[in-house]
C-alpha cells in the first residue's frame, strides 16, 4: 500500500535507466576492445560512448599505460605546410609552362595530406612552403622560381637571390581581362607566349592574362655586418 501511486513508476524508470547504462558500459568497452585488437583499425569513439573501464582499450606499452606518456604535438588549427608545383624559371617562362602543372590539393586546416610523387608527375618539381591562409584560398596556385633582379626586388646584401612568385591561375582577370586591377601584379604573356610578371594599367593588345601574383616569397638574407660581435646579437643565432 505504501508503494501505491506514482512511486512504482519512478522506481521502474530508475531500474530501466540503470540497466541501460550498464549495458551501454559493456557495449562501449566491448567495441573499444574489439577495435584495439584489429591491426590497422581506425578507432573513432566519443567520450560519451564509453562508460566504465576506459583504460582497457589502451594497448600494452602504449601511451598512458604504466604511468608513461608519449611526447605529443598537435598541428595548429590553420593552413599546414604547402607543397607547391613549380611551373618553371623566370625570366624565360612561357605561357604553356605556366599552365602545365597540376597543383596538389592543400591539406585541411589542422591536418595534412599524403602525396606519392611520381617521376613524370611534374617534371619541374615541387617546393615546400609554410602554410598561408591567403594561398589556401587559391588552390590553383603554382610557384615560379624567379631571379630577384628580374622582379625589381632588392636584398639586404645587395646581391640577387632566387625567390618564388606564387601565381593564382584562377584569378577572374584570366577569363575577363577587363577585370585586371592596375594596382596588382599579374603574369601576362605577350604575343610570342613569353611571360612577364608585372603591373599594368591594362592588358596590351595581343597579350593574355595568365594569373595574378598572390605574393613573392623571399629567402632570409642577412645584411653584411649586421652582427654586433656577440653571437647572441646575431640574427642567425639559435639558443
Amino acid at each position: 500500500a505504501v508503494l501505491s501511486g506514482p512511486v512504482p513508476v519512478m522506481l521502474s524508470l530508475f531500474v530501466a535507466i540503470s540497466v541501460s547504462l550498464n549495458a551501454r558500459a559493456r557495449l562501449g568497452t566491448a567495441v573499444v576492445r574489439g577495435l584495439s585488437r584489429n591491426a590497422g583499425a581506425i578507432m573513432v569513439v566519443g567520450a560519451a560512448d564509453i562508460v566504465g573501464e576506459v583504460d582497457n582499450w589502451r594497448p600494452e606499452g602504449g601511451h598512458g599505460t604504466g604511468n608513461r606518456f608519449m611526447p605529443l604535438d598537435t598541428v595548429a588549427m590553420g593552413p599546414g605546410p604547402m607543397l607547391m608545383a613549380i611551373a618553371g624559371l623566370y625570366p624565360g617562362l612561357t605561357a604553356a609552362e605556366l599552365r602545365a602543372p597540376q597543383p596538389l590539393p592543400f591539406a585541411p586546416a589542422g591536418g595534412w595530406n599524403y602525396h606519392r610523387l611520381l617521376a613524370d608527375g611534374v617534371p619541374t618539381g615541387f617546393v615546400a612552403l609554410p602554410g598561408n591562409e591567403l594561398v589556401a584560398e587559391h588552390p590553383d596556385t603554382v610557384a615560379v622560381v624567379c631571379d630577384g633582379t628580374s622582379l625589381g626586388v632588392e636584398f639586404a646584401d645587395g646581391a640577387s637571390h632566387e625567390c618564388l612568385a606564387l601565381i593564382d591561375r584562377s584569378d577572374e582577370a584570366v577569363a575577363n581581362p577587363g577585370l585586371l586591377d592596375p594596382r596588382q601584379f599579374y603574369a601576362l604573356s605577350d604575343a610570342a607566349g613569353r611571360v612577364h610578371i608585372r603591373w599594368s594599367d591594362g592588358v596590351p593588345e595581343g597579350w593574355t592574362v595568365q594569373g595574378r601574383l598572390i605574393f613573392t616569397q623571399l629567402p632570409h638574407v642577412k645584411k653584411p655586418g649586421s652582427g654586433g660581435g656577440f653571437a647572441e646579437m646575431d640574427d642567425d643565432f639559435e639558443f
Side-chain angles (χ1 to χ4, degrees), residues 17-206:
I17 293 175
S18 299
V19 171
S20 176
L21 287 176
N22 288 334
R24 189 179 184 187
R26 290 193 299 273
L27 177 59
T29 303
V31 168
V32 175
R33 285 177 178 172
L35 285 173
S36 65
R37 283 198 297 268
N38 294 329
I42 298 176
M43 190 163 47
V44 182
V45 180
D49 295 322
I50 305 174
V51 182
E53 303 176 62
V54 179
D55 286 336
N56 282 351
W57 63 269
R58 297 183 188 274
E60 183 179 357
H63 172 71
T65 63
N67 291 323
R68 292 169 176 80
F69 302 91
M70 293 180 180
L72 304 176
D73 182 39
T74 301
V75 176
M77 190 57 186
M82 298 174 169
L83 200 58
M84 309 289 299
I86 299 174
L89 304 177
Y90 179 87
L93 184 71
T94 67
E97 291 171 337
L98 184 60
R99 292 192 298 263
Q102 179 65 39
L104 295 173
F106 296 142
W112 57 78
N113 282 344
Y114 298 101
H115 300 291
R116 183 168 178 246
L117 304 182
L118 304 177
D120 58 349
V122 178
T124 47
F126 298 86
V127 60
L129 293 176
N132 182 280
E133 292 185 2
L134 187 59
V135 178
E137 295 172 356
H138 302 88
D140 194 20
T141 298
V142 295
V144 177
V145 180
C146 303
D147 179 272
T149 304
S150 67
L151 299 178
V153 176
E154 295 180 288
F155 292 90
D157 61 356
S160 182
H161 298 271
E162 288 184 346
C163 48
L164 299 171
L166 304 185
I167 307 295
D168 172 26
R169 303 178 300 182
S170 65
D171 187 78
E172 58 185 1
V174 174
N176 187 353
L179 298 177
L180 181 141
D181 185 346
R183 298 166 298 179
Q184 300 288 335
F185 288 78
Y186 291 85
L188 306 173
S189 59
D190 59 25
R194 292 185 298 266
V195 170
H196 306 263
I197 300 177
R198 53 163 297 168
W199 63 266
S200 179
D201 288 327
V203 182
E205 185 177 354

